[in-house]
Amino acid sequence: MYSAARDLYTFNFDIMKKIFLKILILVILVGVINGLLRNFYYNRIIPYYWGDEMIAQKRNYLHEIKDSVNLLMIGSSKILSQVKPKLFDSVLNIQAQNIHSFNFGVTGMFPPESFYLLDHLLNTDSLKPEYILFELTWPKIIDLPNLHTRRSYYWLNLNYTIFSGKVILESRNSMGVKLWNTTTKAINLIEKEYNINLFEEYFKYKSGERDGTRMNEDSLRKQYGFRPLKFPRRPFGKPELKILEETKTGSINAFTKNAGGAKQKYSRVYLKTLNQLITLAEERKIHLIFILPSLWKNYQYDEMVPLFQQIDYKHKIILGDYLKYPEFFSIKNLSNSSHLSPIGAELYTKELAARFLELKKILSPFDK
């Protein structure tokens, strides 16, 4: 029996299928063209370190002095404003250790962006320090205001997207947080693959547009990358005190749960990546040491403390345990609820130097 409705359905389905196929071909074609542009043009004219002014500034200065630097510190503002290379070196050189360090801390520099930086410093720039102190935290979370900026995607590729996605899915985060993190990474990867906003961002970079991250050049050179924070201009308010108490509690709970060899859930994907970095460094005769700093958020302690438990003792320094280092959580040593003041930074730097010296006395430049 003839059915006009069935013919109409078949007709519409065929039209939709053809439209979908044309769209798919167009998307693939645009992707191929953008891939060619990226690989044969943009990747050749855009330096790897163009994420922001401070990254470019520090990379360029480090390139000038690379032959005199034998210890490199990489991380977030907890490296940038809490580890003083000149003080660190003086503590060690009293022991005749001959250390010359450089602080490559950058605000918001979290994995896998910091992995990207490490990879290029070693492979693109062929740096060969004897030691690298590498701060670890949970993968970079991209907030809404930074979603489409070059800082959120200049380092991103398919491997880092997959790494972030797997680690996030292994985490204790809520489904909403997991969905946000994976979605923002996917959006940024698509934007990068299709060169969306890339020309505009590159024009801003080449024109010398200031983004507010640049360090004072004199401070950069005299302090070897360290930038201090100021004391708070007013007493801590209730919100800051609440954050600080939550941080202390988070540290206590995480280290207590993981005390005595207790096995807590950790990201196997993250650990595998860290072991690969250790191997990469050892192949270059570099001793890589991961740092777990103080004043992280609760969820970061929950995720990172069990992970640090799995890292070989030769490759880790832990300074985030409130029960061992209450001075790093004390208001008198803080500039804000998540960063140490200049006085606190001196205490922190000396302790980091002491822990590094302990490892160095046990080991040669790397474990043979």
Side-chain angles (χ1 to χ4, degrees):
M1 181 177 177
Y2 177 76
S3 172
R6 184 175 61 187
D7 287 349
L8 183 61
Y9 171 79
T10 302
F11 175 75
N12 287 339
F13 180 76
D14 288 342
I15 291 177
M16 291 303 297
K17 188 166 62 173
K18 289 178 181 178
I19 292 173
F20 176 78
L21 184 60
K22 288 180 180 179
I23 292 173
L24 180 61
I25 292 172
L26 180 62
V27 169
I28 293 174
L29 182 61
V30 172
V32 170
I33 292 173
N34 277 284
L36 293 172
L37 273 173
R38 187 174 59 257
N39 290 321
F40 292 98
Y41 183 66
Y42 285 123
N43 285 354
R44 297 189 180 191
I45 65 170
I46 301 177
Y48 76 82
Y49 46 84
W50 75 301
D52 69 22
E53 284 188 285
M54 183 182 291
I55 295 170
Q57 183 187 24
K58 285 198 168 187
R59 181 270 170 191
N60 291 334
Y61 180 57
L62 177 60
H63 204 66
E64 288 181 28
I65 62 171
K66 63 181 181 180
D67 292 336
S68 63
V69 172
N70 60 7
L71 187 147
L72 188 61
M73 306 165 181
I74 298 175
S76 70
S77 55
K78 296 184 189 301
I79 293 289
L80 169 65
S81 299
Q82 295 186 175
V83 184
K84 306 175 72 172
K86 293 176 74 172
L87 176 59
F88 182 89
D89 296 354
S90 68
V91 171
L92 289 158
N93 292 339
I94 288 174
Q95 303 287 331
Q97 296 299 313
N98 191 33
I99 294 296
H100 302 280
S101 62
F102 181 79
N103 182 325
F104 212 125
V106 177
T107 302
M109 178 73 76
F110 304 139
E113 182 185 7
S114 52
F115 294 163
Y116 166 90
L117 178 67
L118 175 64
D119 175 63
H120 278 285
L121 288 174
L122 297 184
N123 293 317
T124 304
D125 289 342
S126 301
L127 295 186
K128 295 180 180 179
E130 291 183 62
Y131 308 95
I132 295 175
L133 302 185
F134 194 96
E135 177 196 274
L136 283 183
T137 183
W138 209 234
K140 190 179 185 76
I141 297 175
I142 300 169
D143 55 15
L144 189 58
N146 294 314
L147 181 57
H148 305 291
T149 62
R150 73 171 178 268
R151 179 67 192 277
S152 69
Y153 68 72
Y154 83 98
W155 50 271
L156 197 59
N157 59 27
L158 183 59
N159 288 336
Y160 290 144
T161 304
I162 292 173
F163 164 82
S164 298
K166 287 182 175 180
V167 170
I168 289 164
L169 291 175
E170 286 182 329
S171 73
R172 298 172 176 81
N173 290 143
S174 68
M175 186 53 64
V177 172
K178 290 179 180 181
L179 183 61
W180 171 262
N181 285 340
T182 52
T183 301
T184 52
K185 295 292 193 308
I187 290 172
N188 277 335
L189 180 64
I190 291 170
E191 290 184 338
K192 184 176 182 182
E193 291 300 306
Y194 283 83
N195 300 325
I196 298 173
N197 294 327
L198 186 60
F199 179 79
E200 179 183 353
E201 290 291 336
Y202 179 65
F203 178 78
K204 290 178 183 178
Y205 171 80
K206 290 298 289 183
S207 65
E209 181 181 82
R210 296 292 184 232
D211 60 19
T213 66
R214 188 176 183 84
M215 289 185 66
N216 177 280
E217 194 72 23
D218 191 54
S219 175
L220 172 71
R221 294 174 178 273
K222 290 185 177 180
Q223 300 298 324
Y224 297 98
F226 170 75
R227 185 180 70 182
L229 289 174
K230 297 179 180 179
F231 280 107
R233 296 179 180 177
R234 55 178 175 76
F236 278 23
K238 288 184 179 180
E240 293 166 309
L241 291 173
K242 182 181 178 182
I243 291 172
L244 184 57
E245 287 305 312
E246 289 175 349
T247 301
K248 292 177 183 178
T249 302
S251 173
I252 293 170
N253 290 342
F255 282 100
T256 301
K257 283 190 294 188
N258 289 273
K263 297 294 182 182
Q264 299 291 321
K265 179 183 175 182
Y266 65 93
S267 172
R268 297 182 183 277
V269 172
Y270 207 148
L271 181 63
K272 180 180 178 181
T273 299
L274 298 183
N275 286 329
Q276 289 172 343
L277 290 176
I278 289 171
T279 300
L280 172 70
E282 288 182 342
E283 288 172 352
R284 290 159 174 73
K285 304 295 188 289
I286 298 169
H287 186 188
L288 177 61
I289 300 171
F290 299 113
I291 303 173
L292 180 61
S294 62
L295 300 170
W296 275 139
K297 305 293 186 185
N298 286 357
Y299 75 90
Q300 291 166 319
Y301 280 121
D302 285 341
E303 303 291 353
M304 298 308 298
V305 173
L307 180 64
F308 261 78
Q309 191 179 48
Q310 309 303 316
I311 300 172
D312 189 290
Y313 79 96
K314 301 186 294 293
H315 298 282
K316 63 183 176 184
I317 293 176
I318 297 174
L319 299 176
D321 187 344
Y322 173 73
L323 296 177
K324 288 186 177 179
Y325 303 109
E327 64 272 25
F328 300 151
F329 298 78
S330 172
I331 290 177
K332 67 180 182 180
N333 296 324
L334 302 184
S335 282
N336 54 51
S337 59
S338 57
H339 294 91
L340 294 165
S341 67
I343 292 176
E346 290 201 5
L347 297 174
Y348 189 84
T349 300
K350 289 177 181 179
E351 187 60 31
L352 178 60
R355 300 286 73 77
F356 172 75
L357 183 59
E358 286 182 357
L359 285 179
K360 196 171 184 298
K361 285 183 175 179
I362 296 172
L363 308 166
S364 56
F366 67 100
D367 191 36
K368 295 183 178 179

